[in-house]
């Protein structure tokens, strides 16, 4: 009986040692005892797909003189995983609407996003697939901006508003596509 239990314990100990060696991985090699010793190990790094929008400038539409008003901002879109990306715009109006407000009255505005291919009118909260993101390692479109944002207010929407300054915030989010 002692012999059988001893054999079983020995087999368990050997199996446990083999499992411990196997769980440490096979990539690393250990050095041997001697005057010098050399070991190897593998190193890996995973870089996530990243995007960035910058070079934005505030847009001043100027005074309303009875005609449509518009303005634009440059933009630099960077992506390390390729040229395609999504852009989503939201306003700070009710339900993320694109509106300018004086605190009491509001006026809607429209948003156009232009990339290296064409322009698209954005709807608040809806992603638009675009292309032409810069792969510039400096993340700042050193070859020139690759996009622009345009906003406009129609004369029909601005007519009849009380004299005041109307302001709003447009938020642009870019994501890998």
């Amino acid at each position: 009986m002692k012999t059988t239990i001893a054999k079983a314990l020995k087999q368990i100990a050997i199996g446990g040692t083999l499992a411990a060696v196997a769980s440490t991985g096979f990539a690393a090699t250990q050095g041997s005892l001697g005057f010098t010793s050399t070991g190897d190990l593998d190193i890996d790094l995973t870089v996530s797909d990243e995007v960035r929008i910058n070079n934005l400038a505030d847009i001043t539409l100027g005074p309303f003189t009875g005609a449509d008003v518009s303005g634009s901002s440059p933009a630099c879109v960077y992506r390390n995983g390729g040229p395609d990306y999504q852009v989503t715009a939201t306003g700070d109006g009710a339900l993320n609407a694109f509106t300018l407000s004086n605190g009491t009255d509001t006026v809607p505005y429209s948003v156009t996003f232009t990339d290296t291919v064409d322009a698209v009118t954005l709807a608040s909260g809806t992603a638009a697939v675009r292309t032409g993101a810069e792969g510039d390692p400096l993340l700042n479109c050193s070859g020139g901006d690759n996009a622009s944002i345009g906003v406009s207010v129609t004369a029909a929407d601005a007519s009849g508003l009380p004299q005041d300054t109307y302001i709003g915030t447009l938020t642009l989010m870019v994501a890998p596509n």
Side-chain angles (χ1 to χ4, degrees):
M1 180 87 160
K2 282 186 175 182
T3 308
T4 307
I5 292 175
K7 281 184 180 179
L9 289 174
K10 188 175 182 181
Q11 288 174 345
I12 290 171
I14 291 171
T17 302
L18 290 174
V21 169
S23 69
T24 61
F26 294 106
T29 59
Q30 308 308 315
S32 59
L33 181 62
F35 185 69
T36 63
S37 181
T38 303
D40 296 324
L41 60 115
D42 291 334
I43 301 169
D44 68 44
L45 168 70
T46 302
V47 176
S48 299
D49 197 353
E50 296 180 321
V51 293
R52 178 181 181 194
I53 186 167
N54 67 336
N55 291 358
L56 299 173
D58 291 336
I59 300 172
T60 301
L61 297 177
F64 174 64
T65 60
D68 294 352
V69 291
S70 62
S72 65
S73 168
C76 168
V77 179
Y78 165 84
R79 180 176 176 211
N80 67 344
D84 295 340
Y85 59 96
Q86 296 178 27
V87 61
T88 305
T90 54
D92 64 347
L95 302 174
N96 297 322
F98 299 141
T99 59
L100 305 175
S101 175
N102 66 354
T104 305
D105 301 297
T106 61
V107 60
Y109 63 91
S110 61
V111 179
T112 304
F113 190 88
T114 305
D115 64 12
T116 59
V117 177
D118 62 6
V120 63
T121 300
L122 300 177
S124 182
T126 303
V129 175
R130 307 310 300 154
T131 194
E134 181 71 37
D136 176 9
L138 299 177
L139 310 178
N140 65 1
C141 294
S142 61
D145 294 314
N146 56 12
S148 66
I149 298 94
V151 298
S152 61
V153 175
T154 67
D157 288 331
S159 292
L161 287 173
Q163 182 273 326
D164 208 340
T165 299
Y166 294 78
I167 59 171
T169 300
L170 175 65
T171 302
L172 298 164
M173 181 182 70
V174 294
N177 184 46

